[in-house]
Amino acid sequence: MIDRMLDMKAVEYQALILQPEVINLNELLAEVVANYKEKAQQKLIKIYLPTTETTYKALLDKNYTLQIIENLLSNALKFSPPKKNIFIELSNHQNKVKITIKDEGPGISTEDQQKLFGKFQRLSARPTGGETSVGLGLSIVKKFAEAMNGKIWCESTLGQGASFIVEFQKV
């Protein structure tokens, strides 16, 4: 939590030092999914990351991109009930590459969606397996995405899960 707060302060004071490199997002997503496989199995959740012949690349800081994806996947696992699914998709949209992480959790109300990316926001949805949440992760994720000229948003209908989409300029 302290590291996250320091990261947030660095972003707020624009002291974030980016080390951009061409990132293969297919490989990065596969790595993150592999790292969260055991946690998903503990809740009987299946993570679907379709293989594709298309390679998706973007000029990004690998460490910050990894933190974004890990946070979004971790949240999907945290807020999904057991025996559900998480779907991860890479796609191109014009000159952008989009990463979508969709869960089958409780969804997010319109009211909560307006507060979603604020610091220390506690929303009505609660973790489903005794996990904790301090309400910093998504605000940091948003700052990291914006620092790399990307954007992030949520699409959700209450009771029907949530999709978090992060979009970057593709190489």
Side-chain angles (χ1 to χ4, degrees):
M1 188 166 87
I2 292 170
D3 286 342
R4 286 185 174 213
M5 290 179 76
L6 291 173
D7 283 343
M8 178 60 87
K9 286 295 178 198
V11 171
E12 286 175 349
Y13 294 110
Q14 298 170 335
L16 200 63
I17 299 170
L18 297 175
Q19 297 177 349
E21 60 182 284
V22 176
I23 305 283
N24 180 326
L25 293 168
N26 307 64
E27 292 174 358
L28 194 65
L29 281 170
E31 177 185 328
V32 173
V33 168
N35 291 341
Y36 280 84
K37 188 175 184 176
E38 186 178 322
K39 195 175 276 192
Q41 288 173 340
Q42 290 171 358
K43 287 182 80 172
L44 305 173
I45 293 174
K46 291 184 181 175
I47 302 173
Y48 293 94
L49 175 62
T51 56
T52 176
E53 292 184 22
T54 305
T55 301
Y56 297 88
K57 294 182 178 182
L59 184 64
L60 304 168
D61 181 289
K62 185 174 182 175
N63 183 47
Y64 292 121
T65 306
L66 189 62
Q67 288 184 56
I68 290 169
I69 295 166
E70 285 179 341
N71 182 276
L72 296 178
L73 183 54
S74 173
N75 282 351
L77 285 166
K78 189 183 300 185
F79 291 95
S80 291
K83 300 181 183 177
K84 294 293 184 177
N85 301 297
I86 295 172
F87 303 93
I88 302 173
E89 178 184 331
L90 273 167
S91 60
N92 285 319
H93 182 320
Q94 297 173 358
N95 59 347
K96 309 277 185 186
V97 60
K98 288 172 44 174
I99 303 166
T100 303
I101 298 179
K102 179 176 178 19
D103 65 47
E104 294 178 336
I108 302 168
S109 70
T110 304
E111 181 182 318
D112 279 351
Q113 286 182 49
Q114 294 171 1
K115 302 184 287 185
L116 201 55
F117 296 100
K119 285 192 291 188
F120 299 109
Q121 291 297 319
R122 298 279 181 146
L123 308 178
S124 57
R126 294 287 171 244
T128 59
E131 304 96 338
T132 59
S133 176
V134 295
L136 269 176
L138 288 175
S139 62
I140 293 171
V141 161
K142 183 175 193 256
K143 297 287 187 185
F144 286 173
E146 289 173 349
M148 294 184 287
N149 299 314
K151 67 179 191 172
I152 184 169
W153 69 94
C154 174
E155 296 174 358
S156 181
T157 301
L158 200 56
Q160 297 181 19
S163 293
F164 283 84
I165 301 102
V166 62
E167 181 179 77
F168 297 107
Q169 193 76 26
K170 76 176 183 181
V171 173

